[in-house]
């Protein structure tokens, strides 16, 4: 199985890099993992809705350049469906069994994900109605993917 995470913005914090490295190492037992960072656009203070849409569009075009036809694309979106860890594991396993062995997760920037990217996605997933920093969210996503593989393999995991 191949997992790709396309995310807006560079990771700067050392403690988050260490967590991502740890989960990447753990995941190497279960899948091939690639994390792609695309540049985030600077958002001016008091940006108009039009300026915000243009920023999301630019970030979205950068994301779309990395999406290939054989990828099953999942957007992390506040309007997506909320599921349990067990349901995510089943979802990932179902994708693999149905021939979608390359799953790509999209983490947008601070303004969210452009409509162009959302239109390309097969599924929209919401972790919570709360807002999280997208850098921290990368760690949360990796942890849930790791947990999913542990569940799929019948290995112990924290409930």
């Amino acid at each position: 199985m191949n997992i790709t995470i396309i995310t807006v913005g560079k990771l700067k914090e050392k403690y988050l890099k260490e967590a991502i490295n740890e989960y990447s190492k753990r995941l190497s037992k279960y899948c091939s993992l690639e994390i792609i960072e695309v540049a985030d656009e600077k958002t001016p203070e008091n940006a108009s809705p039009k300026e915000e849409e243009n920023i999301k569009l630019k970030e979205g075009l950068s994301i779309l350049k990395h999406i290939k036809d054989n990828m099953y694309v999942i957007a992390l979106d506040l309007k997506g469906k909320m599921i349990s860890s067990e349901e995510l594991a089943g979802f990932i396993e179902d994708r693999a069994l149905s021939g979608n062995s390359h799953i790509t997760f999209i983490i947008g920037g601070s303004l969210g994900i452009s409509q162009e990217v959302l239109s390309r996605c097969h599924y929209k997933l919401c972790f919570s109605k709360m807002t999280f920093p997208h850098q921290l969210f990368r760690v949360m996503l990796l942890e849930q993917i790791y947990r999913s593989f542990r569940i799929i393999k019948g290995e112990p995991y924290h409930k």
Side-chain angles (χ1 to χ4, degrees):
M1 165 130 313
N2 297 301
I3 302 287
T4 299
I5 298 173
I6 303 174
T7 181
V8 175
K10 296 265 184 230
L11 198 61
K12 298 172 186 88
E13 296 83 356
K14 183 180 177 190
Y15 70 98
L16 292 175
K17 286 181 182 179
E18 289 171 357
I20 286 168
N21 289 338
E22 178 62 27
Y23 280 111
S24 297
K25 186 172 82 176
R26 291 181 188 189
L27 278 165
S28 67
K29 175 179 173 183
Y30 304 103
C31 66
S32 171
L33 175 68
E34 180 181 21
I35 299 174
I36 299 169
E37 295 177 330
V38 300
D40 57 339
E41 298 291 323
K42 301 296 176 229
T43 305
E45 271 192 51
N46 303 320
S48 71
K50 180 72 174 158
E51 287 174 307
E52 289 184 355
E53 278 306 309
N54 284 336
I55 289 167
K56 284 196 321 187
L57 178 62
K58 285 181 187 175
E59 291 174 348
L61 291 173
S62 295
I63 290 168
L64 288 169
K65 287 178 187 173
H66 296 282
I67 296 176
K68 299 186 177 38
D69 289 341
N70 67 331
M71 294 175 166
Y72 186 92
V73 184
I74 301 171
L76 284 301
D77 183 53
L78 284 172
K79 295 182 184 121
K81 183 174 181 182
M82 282 199 270
I83 59 176
S84 68
S85 296
E86 292 82 3
E87 289 170 317
L88 179 61
F91 187 86
I92 289 173
E93 186 174 34
D94 289 347
R95 298 294 74 73
L97 294 174
S98 66
N100 294 307
S101 62
H102 195 155
I103 299 175
T104 299
F105 293 89
I106 308 292
I107 302 173
S110 60
L111 298 175
I113 299 174
S114 72
Q115 191 54 52
E116 291 76 10
V117 174
L118 291 173
S119 295
R120 173 59 181 87
C121 293
H122 298 94
Y123 192 83
K124 294 171 189 74
L125 178 64
C126 179
F127 272 35
S128 169
K129 294 297 179 190
M130 293 182 203
T131 302
F132 300 102
H134 54 277
Q135 294 91 343
L136 175 62
F137 195 78
R138 202 183 305 188
V139 177
M140 294 168 57
L141 175 60
L142 285 170
E143 189 281 332
Q144 285 298 304
I145 295 169
Y146 173 68
R147 182 180 299 262
S148 291
F149 280 110
R150 303 265 313 169
I151 292 168
I152 290 165
K153 299 291 185 186
E155 297 171 354
Y157 66 96
H158 182 71
K159 294 182 181 184

